[in-house]
Amino acid sequence: MPAVEHVRLGRKRTLPPCPNPLFLQWLSELRDQAAEKGQKTQYVYQKAISSLKKYPLPLQNAREAKILQNFGDGICKILDEKLQRHYRENGPDAPIHSLPSGVTVAPSRRSNNNLAQPTKQPSRKEREGGRRKREYVPQKRSGGYAVLLTLYRESQVPGGKGFMFKLELQAEAQHLSDKSFSVPDLGSKYTAWSSVSTLIQKDLVLKTHNPARYSLTELGLALAERLEDGEREQEEDRRSDVREEEEEGSGPGVDLTRHKLCFIIAGPDPAAYVAQRGSEVPGVNSSEKPQAAETKTRPAGGCLYPGSYDIVLCVDFIETTGGSTACKQELVKELQRNGVTFDVRKLNVGDFLWVAKERVAPVSGQLRAPPSRELVLDYIIERKRMDDLCGSIIDGRFREQKFRLKRCGLQKPIYLVEECGSAAAHLSLPETTLQQAIVNTQVVDGFFVKRVQDVKESVAYLTVMTRYLSKLYQNRTLVCRSRELEGDGQNEEECGGREREDPSCSLISFAEFNQGAVKNKCQTVREVFARQLMQISGLSGDKAVAILEHYSTLHSLLKAYEQCPSDTEREKLLSSIRYGKLKRNLGPALSRTVYQLYCTKGALS
């Protein structure tokens, strides 16, 4: 006979009711609303409800609930607002520790200590087979919006090139965006140009070549066409509003603030913006320029007039940090002692250069002054100590640095060589080798070489050069040009004879210069071929450039070898190519070496 289990009988303990039922009801409503919308705040409200149920004392206001766990400023503020509304509706003496008649607290949604998800009826899209992916459309007057519209308008120009360079695209798209394409907002590191990466990821914009060329894909063209249609509709609405105002007798003038021709978007020049957009708005003639704004207008080409800029020495941050800290700090102290205006920044090529920095007055109501334009002068300095020169020759940096200095776009490179005194006798290379390298830099490469003894003499030379350039450019108009659109401009020989006749000169901006001098940027096939050739012993940069003028890629050189009938002619194919200022031949020995490198099957002997 099975044993009878003894059942323990007893009274179940009743839980006391919550002394704050009104707050509990409000929190339950907030939790249910968040659960219906699928928001994660439902879990926060549920935790607050659990804490409130455990609290045995009545609360007079929501501020007292801050002592409870999971009650933050946000929940307390919401409860205070509901409490004030409760007093307005039911009077200042309305009870808050009991619920109105007929109102009950919503039951808890907990099951097995986990929140049960509210049941939702499937939407029509889900019943049809899942959610559709939302199409990406950039916000109006954002960076992506401006880029798409600008590329679309460029593609509609008859005979256009079908793409735009970065600087060209930024300049054309700026008036369509509320954010700057070059300067980030206060407290942010992102500009309007940052949205271009999103457009590329969404397959709306195509980026090719080096320098980069931007164009629209088929998806981007379709989206930009819709955005352009929206712009036209808004423009037509604005024009109809203007016509109605004119018919009502509001006068022929146009209220620029009414039609959102905001000068903030156009930059610091309202007259130029009205001149550019005036043809689109009735009543504004682009040929009529306000006299008051004409004196403050910045030139469209980016000119800096005499007296509107300062010459500033830019020092690479590597020259002030790391290595021999004492010597590098001495350089900064000597520059400060000499009263030189300088700025420490990252330079992708060279150690020192000079920029013409625009003088910008602070604007009332703004924390910072507007960004200054900076144009790079045609002088750049590479500083070398003897020990550093020795190391750069051994590891190959010496030739590469000279090659990059020649291609940086500045016409007057300078090599500043610091002698080490007796320390030169303890270097890895003979002193005669180092002296020969310095002479070759001056004679063969065409650099100006300045020899100094120590850091103090280097600073003295930088001080003299800064004062010389300040005097040289004090009465000159500086015009900003784009290197990627116009090339490197005129060479030194062509410009030198006209400096006194023409007081203006064209310079590239610092941003474009530093970006174009990035060491590890993407390289073209031509640049990779040039680097390969320069690895051959005896083949300098001038000789590599001469070969590239005849055969721009390795494929074209191999094709020329195939057309030669015999090996003898292939070996002599490059021997008659002339290089350098003296127009000397490459010679048969070097020509044979290049042929053997690229055409010998198997290992080289």
Side-chain angles (χ1 to χ4, degrees):
M1 188 173 177
V4 178
E5 293 182 1
H6 295 281
V7 179
R8 184 177 180 182
L9 301 175
R11 180 181 294 178
K12 187 177 181 181
R13 182 184 176 188
T14 58
L15 295 175
C18 178
N20 303 287
L22 200 59
F23 287 163
L24 185 63
Q25 174 66 23
W26 289 338
L27 286 175
S28 301
E29 291 174 358
L30 292 172
R31 177 202 62 194
D32 295 343
Q33 291 173 6
E36 289 175 1
K37 296 178 183 178
Q39 297 175 345
K40 292 185 177 181
T41 51
Q42 58 176 310
Y43 304 102
V44 179
Y45 291 130
Q46 182 60 48
K47 291 178 181 179
I49 289 172
S50 301
S51 299
L52 185 62
K53 285 182 177 180
K54 296 175 184 177
Y55 190 64
L57 301 178
L59 298 172
Q60 300 302 322
N61 52 58
R63 289 190 298 274
E64 295 180 2
K66 277 191 178 181
I67 62 174
L68 301 181
Q69 191 177 9
N70 302 310
F71 274 80
D73 293 335
I75 292 180
C76 292
K77 183 179 179 182
I78 294 173
L79 293 177
D80 262 336
E81 291 174 355
K82 287 183 175 292
L83 184 60
Q84 296 300 326
R85 192 182 306 119
H86 176 73
Y87 283 143
R88 287 196 300 269
E89 294 174 355
N90 303 303
D93 298 328
I96 63 172
H97 299 113
S98 62
L99 291 176
S101 59
V103 179
T104 58
V105 179
S108 174
R109 291 181 175 267
R110 281 188 177 271
S111 176
N112 297 330
N113 295 328
N114 290 323
L115 281 176
Q117 293 294 334
T119 58
K120 282 180 63 179
Q121 294 293 330
S123 63
R124 181 175 59 84
K125 291 182 180 179
E126 292 175 351
R127 289 196 300 268
E128 291 175 356
R131 280 187 175 177
R132 297 179 190 171
K133 191 175 181 181
R134 186 178 177 185
E135 182 187 11
Y136 170 76
V137 178
Q139 188 178 0
K140 185 175 176 62
R141 299 203 64 81
S142 64
Y145 178 88
V147 168
L148 286 176
L149 275 184
T150 305
L151 289 175
Y152 175 76
R153 293 173 182 177
E154 171 65 23
S155 65
Q156 301 303 308
V157 175
K161 55 182 181 289
F163 62 87
M164 298 183 76
F165 293 107
K166 179 180 177 180
L167 294 178
E168 181 186 9
L169 180 56
Q170 287 179 334
E172 293 293 330
Q174 183 58 71
H175 73 278
L176 295 171
S177 173
D178 291 337
K179 290 184 67 175
S180 171
F181 274 88
S182 56
V183 182
D185 292 338
L186 187 64
S188 172
K189 63 179 180 180
Y190 298 105
T191 64
W193 184 253
S194 304
S195 59
V196 174
S197 59
T198 304
L199 298 178
I200 295 174
Q201 291 175 0
K202 300 290 184 182
D203 198 25
L204 299 174
V205 171
L206 184 64
K207 177 183 177 183
T208 58
H209 294 80
N210 183 27
R213 299 178 180 181
Y214 298 89
S215 57
L216 289 175
T217 62
E218 292 183 2
L219 292 176
L221 189 63
L223 178 58
E225 190 173 358
R226 284 159 41 201
L227 296 179
E228 180 68 16
D229 292 340
E231 278 283 317
R232 288 173 185 158
E233 291 177 2
Q234 290 186 2
E235 190 63 35
E236 290 175 0
D237 293 341
R238 283 197 291 265
R239 292 184 179 182
S240 63
D241 291 344
V242 173
R243 293 193 199 99
E244 291 176 1
E245 288 181 2
E246 290 179 353
E247 291 173 0
E248 291 172 1
S250 59
V254 177
D255 185 2
L256 297 181
T257 59
R258 167 113 169 75
H259 299 287
K260 300 181 181 180
L261 295 177
C262 299
F263 296 147
I264 300 174
I265 300 170
D269 182 11
Y273 183 69
V274 174
Q276 179 183 2
R277 303 285 288 178
S279 59
E280 301 179 9
V281 183
V284 179
N285 188 0
S286 60
S287 61
E288 299 175 2
K289 298 181 180 178
Q291 295 179 357
E294 205 170 56
T295 57
K296 300 180 182 179
T297 299
R298 275 186 182 178
C303 298
L304 295 180
Y305 294 112
S308 66
Y309 57 87
D310 297 312
I311 303 300
V312 179
L313 170 66
C314 293
V315 182
D316 186 21
F317 78 101
I318 297 295
E319 296 297 312
T320 62
T321 58
S324 179
T325 308
C327 294
K328 295 187 175 183
Q329 290 301 320
E330 184 182 359
L331 185 142
V332 174
K333 291 178 181 177
E334 286 293 326
L335 286 174
Q336 293 173 341
R337 192 176 293 116
N338 293 349
V340 177
T341 305
F342 69 95
D343 185 20
V344 179
R345 60 180 72 177
K346 178 177 174 57
L347 302 179
N348 290 325
V349 64
D351 297 321
F352 306 95
L353 56 82
W354 289 267
V355 297
K357 188 172 184 178
E358 182 184 21
R359 298 174 185 169
V360 179
V363 180
S364 60
Q366 292 187 7
L367 181 62
R368 297 181 180 178
S372 303
R373 290 177 293 177
E374 294 180 334
L375 303 183
V376 185
L377 307 188
D378 265 337
Y379 297 82
I380 184 169
I381 291 180
E382 179 72 25
R383 176 188 174 208
K384 288 290 183 187
R385 285 170 49 92
M386 275 296 195
D387 51 354
D388 185 24
L389 178 63
C390 176
S392 64
I393 292 175
I394 293 173
D395 60 20
R397 286 184 294 115
F398 182 60
R399 293 174 63 190
E400 186 229 0
Q401 286 173 346
K402 290 194 296 183
F403 182 71
R404 293 178 62 218
L405 281 171
K406 286 181 180 179
R407 300 188 54 209
C408 70
L410 305 185
Q411 305 295 333
K412 300 173 183 178
I414 301 171
Y415 243 75
L416 184 62
V417 182
E418 287 186 10
E419 307 283 352
C420 292
S422 59
H426 305 285
L427 298 177
S428 304
L429 294 177
E431 187 176 356
T432 55
T433 303
L434 300 179
Q435 297 296 340
Q436 185 63 53
I438 295 172
V439 172
N440 289 345
T441 301
Q442 183 168 8
V443 177
V444 179
D445 298 308
F447 289 15
F448 179 80
V449 176
K450 174 65 177 178
R451 295 170 181 258
V452 294
Q453 291 298 322
D454 51 18
V455 177
K456 288 188 177 181
E457 286 195 12
S458 296
V459 174
Y461 179 71
L462 293 173
T463 304
V464 172
M465 279 293 297
T466 303
R467 292 170 182 168
Y468 165 74
L469 293 176
S470 299
K471 185 176 181 180
L472 179 65
Y473 285 91
Q474 64 181 356
N475 295 321
R476 306 188 70 180
T477 300
L478 309 181
V479 183
C480 180
R481 63 177 171 85
S482 174
R483 187 185 176 197
E484 66 181 13
L485 297 178
E486 305 174 21
D488 286 335
Q490 299 168 333
N491 56 28
E492 182 180 351
E493 288 79 3
E494 294 175 352
C495 296
R498 301 193 312 169
E499 282 187 355
R500 297 179 182 177
E501 301 174 6
D502 188 5
S504 65
C505 62
S506 61
L507 304 171
I508 60 178
S509 66
F510 176 79
E512 183 181 3
F513 161 81
N514 218 28
Q515 184 181 7
V518 175
K519 187 174 182 180
N520 295 323
K521 65 179 180 179
C522 296
Q523 297 177 343
T524 62
V525 177
R526 178 187 174 95
E527 290 172 341
V528 174
F529 184 39
R531 283 178 172 267
Q532 288 181 352
L533 292 174
M534 291 178 62
Q535 301 307 311
I536 300 173
S537 178
L539 209 158
S540 63
D542 289 339
K543 295 177 182 179
V545 170
I547 295 175
L548 290 176
E549 289 177 357
H550 293 78
Y551 308 102
S552 58
T553 62
L554 177 58
H555 176 72
S556 60
L557 178 60
L558 295 177
K559 211 169 183 181
Y561 280 139
E562 290 176 0
Q563 295 174 356
C564 295
S566 63
D567 289 342
T568 305
E569 291 189 13
R570 295 190 188 100
E571 291 179 355
K572 296 181 179 179
L573 178 65
L574 306 179
S575 60
S576 59
I577 293 179
R578 299 181 179 275
Y579 71 94
K581 295 180 181 179
L582 300 179
K583 299 299 179 184
R584 293 178 176 174
N585 293 334
L586 285 179
L590 199 54
S591 177
R592 187 185 309 110
T593 302
V594 176
Y595 167 69
Q596 290 175 351
L597 174 64
Y598 289 114
C599 297
T600 301
K601 296 181 180 179
L604 294 174
S605 57

